[in-house]
Amino acid sequence: MQEPLNLNELQALLGRAFSPSALGEWAVLLGCLLLAALGTLILSRTAPRHHLSVLFGERVIDGALFPLLAMALAFGARRLLPLFGIAPALFKLVLPLLVSLAAIRLVARVLAAAWPDSKPIKAVERVGSWLVWIGAVLWIVGLLPLVMEAMDDIGWKVGNVKLTLRNVVEGGLTSAIVLVLALWLSSTIEDRLLRRESLDMSMRKIAANAVRALLLLIGLLFALSAAGIDLTALGVLGGALGVGLGFGLQKLAANYVSGFVILAERSLRIGDMVKVDGFEGRVTDIKTRYTVIRSLGGKEAIVPNEMLITQRVENSSLADPRVLLSTVVQVSYDCEVESVMQSLMAAIADVPRVLREPGPSVQLSQFQADGLELTIYFWIMDPENGSGGVRSAVNLAILRTLKDLGVDIPYPQRVMHHVGQPVEAPPPR
């Protein structure tokens, strides 16, 4: 972009930009904007996108692609207009505004994609937008060099290093740009990895988390270097961090390491039915520090990953999603028990969700005081849908079958014997 303007140059440019001779330049600028909008719409129809897209916003035109295309077209037009004898007065004023709009849109969409529905991030977006617009206005009116010189005069000394307000501001801006680009790149790579159904979900999650952590680390190092911080001083910080991890942060570090171990060895996967510390539910998400388990009743448990590594975890669908369930019923001693058992197996096999292979089985488990105890075993394939409904359906099928066969479910019976002296009858009168 061009050098900042002084007040005299700004007045001259405004006079030429709003003169009748600048109508051609206004037409070229309008054409650039229309071409940018048209290109954005065409690309939005051919490229897959979602509501958190950086290039395409929720309404396509509110993404970062439109101002970037408009800025590129305007820059090309500014270079070509002098070849046709037209002084690009208007484009010298518009280009800083397009650059500012592109920066605001890019930062806003990246932050929205990295932290959706976050109120603090929205506040950061508003503050950043105001700062960018103020910087653009200061650039256009030619006051930015004066402001930068004034910030150079404000300084302080930290040890042997002298810092100025200008160094801090420039370092902060550079750090913000680098971190935003790292977040954008990591969000794009994470989105593409999670949409690749050819890979296992656990491997996609560990790859996405590793890429995000690596890019943020690289971005942080670039940001620190841009801010003027000597990276060799991070050796002392790394030693202090290691000591902190060894004492106060060892649980946190253990959870993060456990998360990567779980994702790498795939002992737990998203969608598995597990039981941890008495809480049973379905794994809905695996983070690097914790795992989310949702019960069939709607409650969610945040389980630290270290607990999943060091404690016993019951996984109903690790190697085989089939689960064996059972129920118990008593029949009277005078029934044809073998025929009843065959009828019960046939009735239970017709219950929805009960597998036919392996099919249900009925066993004579005990001789009770009131009747014969039969234990019915049956398999289901979908434990994530719960066991209460299918067990109730099986019990109803057993009750209907016993009623059709005329077999009674015995009630508790007790025989009482009275022991005592016989009572003599009174003599006749």
Side-chain angles (χ1 to χ4, degrees):
M1 195 158 40
Q2 71 272 8
E3 293 294 327
L5 305 173
N6 55 43
L7 292 179
N8 294 330
E9 291 175 341
L10 178 62
Q11 291 177 355
L13 282 178
L14 288 175
R16 290 200 303 267
F18 292 96
S19 64
S21 60
L23 292 178
E25 196 173 354
W26 280 100
V28 173
L29 176 61
L30 182 60
C32 292
L33 297 178
L34 291 176
L35 285 176
L38 182 61
T40 304
L41 290 174
I42 293 175
L43 292 175
S44 68
R45 294 180 179 179
T46 58
R49 64 182 185 87
H50 51 84
H51 70 286
L52 292 178
S53 173
V54 174
L55 294 178
F56 310 103
E58 297 179 357
R59 296 179 297 276
V60 179
I61 206 69
D62 63 338
L65 183 59
F66 170 70
L68 289 175
L69 288 178
M71 182 181 65
L73 292 173
F75 185 79
R78 178 178 176 270
R79 293 293 185 183
L80 293 176
L81 285 177
L83 300 179
F84 297 94
I86 301 175
L90 179 62
F91 283 90
K92 289 184 179 180
L93 298 174
V94 171
L95 269 175
L97 298 178
L98 291 177
V99 171
S100 302
L101 180 60
I104 292 171
R105 288 279 182 86
L106 182 62
V107 172
R109 297 306 304 171
V110 169
L111 294 179
W115 293 285
D117 302 326
S118 176
K119 292 183 179 179
I121 294 301
K122 293 185 181 300
V124 171
E125 291 178 13
R126 289 192 293 269
V127 173
S129 300
W130 278 106
L131 292 177
V132 171
W133 285 123
I134 291 173
V137 172
L138 291 177
W139 179 282
I140 293 174
V141 300
L143 295 178
L144 188 60
L146 300 178
V147 174
M148 301 298 286
E149 291 177 2
M151 288 192 297
D152 263 334
D153 296 334
I154 303 174
W156 58 90
K157 196 171 184 181
V158 180
N160 295 327
V161 179
K162 183 180 179 181
L163 296 177
T164 63
L165 183 58
R166 179 174 180 174
N167 296 138
V168 174
V169 172
E170 289 179 347
L173 290 175
T174 306
S175 303
I177 293 172
V178 171
L179 291 178
V180 165
L181 292 177
L183 278 174
W184 182 19
L185 186 58
S186 65
S187 299
T188 304
I189 295 175
E190 181 178 1
D191 180 65
R192 291 184 177 273
L193 285 174
L194 294 179
R195 286 192 282 112
R196 290 181 63 89
E197 297 182 356
S198 59
L199 298 176
D200 184 77
M201 186 62 176
S202 298
M203 298 305 297
R204 283 182 275 168
K205 290 288 292 183
I206 190 173
N209 292 335
V211 168
R212 176 178 284 252
L214 178 62
L215 289 176
L216 286 179
L217 177 61
I218 295 174
L220 180 62
L221 293 178
F222 272 107
L224 292 176
S225 178
I229 298 177
D230 188 5
L231 295 182
T232 58
L234 295 179
V236 179
L237 179 61
L241 183 61
V243 174
L245 290 176
F247 290 98
L249 299 179
Q250 66 176 18
K251 286 291 184 181
L252 184 63
N255 285 323
Y256 275 99
V257 173
S258 300
F260 280 102
V261 171
I262 291 172
L263 291 170
E265 67 182 11
R266 293 188 289 177
S267 57
L268 287 179
R269 297 163 298 186
I270 295 177
D272 286 355
M273 286 295 297
V274 298
K275 185 176 182 180
V276 182
D277 196 23
F279 188 87
E280 186 174 4
R282 184 180 183 182
V283 178
T284 58
D285 199 3
I286 302 177
K287 301 290 187 180
T288 51
R289 188 183 65 84
Y290 61 86
T291 296
V292 181
I293 301 176
R294 181 180 178 86
S295 70
L296 297 177
K299 295 182 179 179
E300 290 185 334
I302 308 298
V303 182
N305 287 329
E306 184 187 12
M307 181 180 294
L308 302 176
I309 293 292
T310 59
Q311 294 189 10
R312 174 186 173 184
V313 178
E314 298 181 12
N315 193 332
S316 302
S317 50
L318 176 60
D320 191 348
R322 296 178 298 183
V323 175
L324 180 65
L325 301 178
S326 65
T327 186
V328 177
V329 68
Q330 283 190 11
V331 296
S332 60
Y333 277 95
D334 58 355
C335 71
E336 294 291 337
V337 64
E338 293 183 355
S339 176
V340 171
M341 292 169 63
Q342 294 295 328
S343 299
L344 289 178
M345 284 191 292
I348 296 170
D350 294 333
V351 175
R353 295 182 58 194
V354 174
L355 297 179
R356 290 182 174 271
E357 185 60 38
S361 63
V362 181
Q363 299 179 2
L364 178 58
S365 53
Q366 289 188 27
F367 296 95
Q368 296 288 355
D370 304 316
L372 300 173
E373 182 180 278
L374 302 179
T375 303
I376 297 95
Y377 297 97
F378 55 95
W379 294 84
I380 63 173
M381 181 66 83
D382 51 352
E384 67 274 7
N385 294 327
S387 60
V390 66
R391 183 177 279 112
S392 175
V394 168
N395 288 335
L396 289 174
I398 293 172
L399 185 60
R400 286 193 299 267
T401 303
L402 294 179
K403 284 184 177 181
D404 293 340
L405 296 175
V407 177
D408 295 329
I409 298 176
Y411 295 99
Q413 300 179 15
R414 298 294 179 267
V415 178
M416 299 181 65
H417 299 275
H418 179 73
V419 179
Q421 297 295 329
V423 179
E424 295 181 358
R429 293 182 179 178

